[in-house]
Amino acid sequence: MTDRYAVIGNPISHSKSPQIHQMFAEQTGQDISYEKIEAPLDGFAETIERLRNDGYKGCSVTVPFKFEAFKLANSVSESVIDTFDSGENADAVNTLDFRNLKIVGYNTDGSGLLKDITINRQFNISKKRVLLLGAGGAAYGVLHPLLNEEPKELVITNRTLEKAQRIEKKIRGTAKFPVTSVSWSSYSDLSKKQFDLVINATSAGLTDSELPLPPTIFAPNALAYDMMYGRETPFMKFARDHGAQVADGLGMLVEQAAEAFYLWRGVQPDTAPVIAALRLT
Ligand code: ATR
């Protein structure tokens, strides 16, 4: 019998996840279906309940429901930073598994990003200076695996400084390297520094908004990684214009999907041909 999965978001029409999972299923001979479902903004929990009642085996969760997915899960895996002593009890979950009558939450975004950076792009993060732009769901999702890579330092900056400070507080006790948050409105704080890896986890690219970064921010051979995909964002153009290597988030998208596929099906798909196929569409 075909096992059913879906990706839940709002909006969702742009999602490439059904295409990706279909390619994985063909590659591995798994009998699954995977569709996209738009949940009402105030109806995420009801949508999940309906899917479970209809016998779906799991789902992917995307914007804006990743924090709600965390709250809804009966338990979360280590990929979600529930182990941090922040008392905040807020984290992002992008994959739910409905087997065994429970909702188990995972976050495969971070490991997907790290795989794309370290394996596909052969960029070693250890001992590098990392700047994380943004402090929303996408930023939360990458923290745990980023910490495991042990960069030299992590600086978090965000339009709303308090949210960056919340992340700093959350991970400070766990990180084995300096973690700081800075305001990007005080431009001078950032203009004194250079970074080897700059990760754009903001959604500013959706509205083609420029980020107020100093042009000197990129160290020689720096990698500028935008989690968005599909077109060049102002951040990507800015980084290219100022000498950085640039990556979009397509590889991350496929890698996080592969991780979810593995969690659900126990089979590891080959991501390279899927990334290549999507680049042609
Ligand atoms: P996601 O799940 O995609 O991270 P989110 O939780 O709404 O979505 O977070 C969006 C992130 O992008 C936030 O860091 C947000 O900054 P604020 O915390 O100040 O809202 C950032 N962001 C969105 N639009 C932006 C813009 N035009 N310029 C700068 N940052 C922006």
Side-chain angles (χ1 to χ4, degrees):
M1 203 174 87
T2 305
D3 287 336
R4 297 168 81 187
Y5 298 88
V7 55
I8 321 294
N10 186 333
I12 200 63
S13 56
H14 65 284
S15 176
K16 290 184 188 296
S17 294
Q19 248 176 299
I20 295 171
H21 282 277
Q22 192 189 338
M23 283 191 254
F24 289 164
E26 279 164 15
Q27 219 188 62
T28 58
Q30 293 286 307
D31 185 12
I32 67 157
S33 67
Y34 188 107
E35 67 211 83
K36 46 188 169 194
I37 295 175
E38 186 171 281
L41 289 175
D42 60 354
F44 178 69
E46 290 77 6
T47 303
I48 295 298
E49 201 44 40
R50 177 172 66 76
L51 295 187
R52 291 178 72 207
N53 289 335
D54 288 350
Y56 284 71
K57 296 284 191 271
C59 70
S60 312
V61 179
T62 187
V63 178
F65 299 123
K66 290 180 186 180
F67 288 119
E68 270 190 76
F70 171 79
K71 288 199 196 123
L72 201 66
N74 303 120
S75 64
V76 288
S77 81
E78 233 189 48
S79 59
V80 179
I81 314 178
D82 57 327
T83 46
F84 286 167
D85 183 25
S86 67
E88 187 186 1
N89 202 27
D91 254 308
V93 153
N94 79 330
T95 303
L96 294 173
D97 189 308
F98 303 148
R99 288 171 298 181
N100 307 320
L101 303 174
K102 286 230 160 84
I103 306 178
V104 184
Y106 301 87
N107 194 314
T108 66
D109 283 331
S111 51
L113 171 74
L114 269 286
K115 272 193 179 155
D116 195 38
I117 292 176
T118 60
I119 299 173
N120 299 345
R121 296 184 183 273
Q122 297 279 300
F123 185 95
N124 183 6
I125 298 173
S126 164
K127 307 285 178 282
K128 298 277 171 53
R129 297 158 292 178
V130 179
L131 176 64
L132 180 63
L133 311 172
Y140 270 82
V142 304
L143 294 172
H144 198 263
L146 199 55
L147 295 188
N148 289 340
E149 294 292 314
E150 299 200 14
K152 184 173 178 190
E153 69 166 314
L154 174 63
V155 176
I156 306 152
T157 186
N158 190 47
R159 181 174 59 182
T160 312
L161 177 62
E162 300 78 62
K163 283 161 75 180
Q165 288 170 330
R166 224 177 290 157
I167 293 191
E168 179 194 330
K169 186 167 156 242
K170 187 178 183 64
I171 62 179
R172 219 188 210 160
T174 312
K176 299 192 186 83
F177 47 85
V179 178
T180 45
S181 47
V182 300
S183 162
W184 70 30
S185 54
S186 61
Y187 194 81
S188 54
D189 281 354
L190 280 175
S191 62
K192 290 185 213 120
K193 294 182 79 83
Q194 284 208 314
F195 295 90
D196 306 294
L197 174 61
V198 182
I199 301 171
N200 183 15
T202 75
S203 50
L206 284 176
T207 51
D208 273 336
S209 309
E210 312 248 345
L211 301 175
L213 295 173
T216 48
I217 201 95
F218 302 104
N221 303 316
L223 174 64
Y225 195 104
D226 200 317
M227 290 194 198
M228 300 236 347
Y229 59 86
R231 68 200 157 90
E232 184 168 81
T233 62
F235 167 75
M236 289 161 76
K237 178 170 185 330
F238 175 83
R240 202 183 302 284
D241 288 348
H242 295 98
Q245 315 166 56
V246 173
D248 70 359
L250 186 72
M252 170 183 177
L253 177 76
V254 175
E255 295 295 348
Q256 65 76 27
E259 202 94 343
F261 192 87
Y262 178 74
L263 287 167
W264 292 326
R265 311 301 302 175
V267 187
Q268 195 79 56
D270 185 5
T271 52
V274 176
I275 295 172
L278 288 176
R279 289 241 177 256
L280 296 175
T281 61

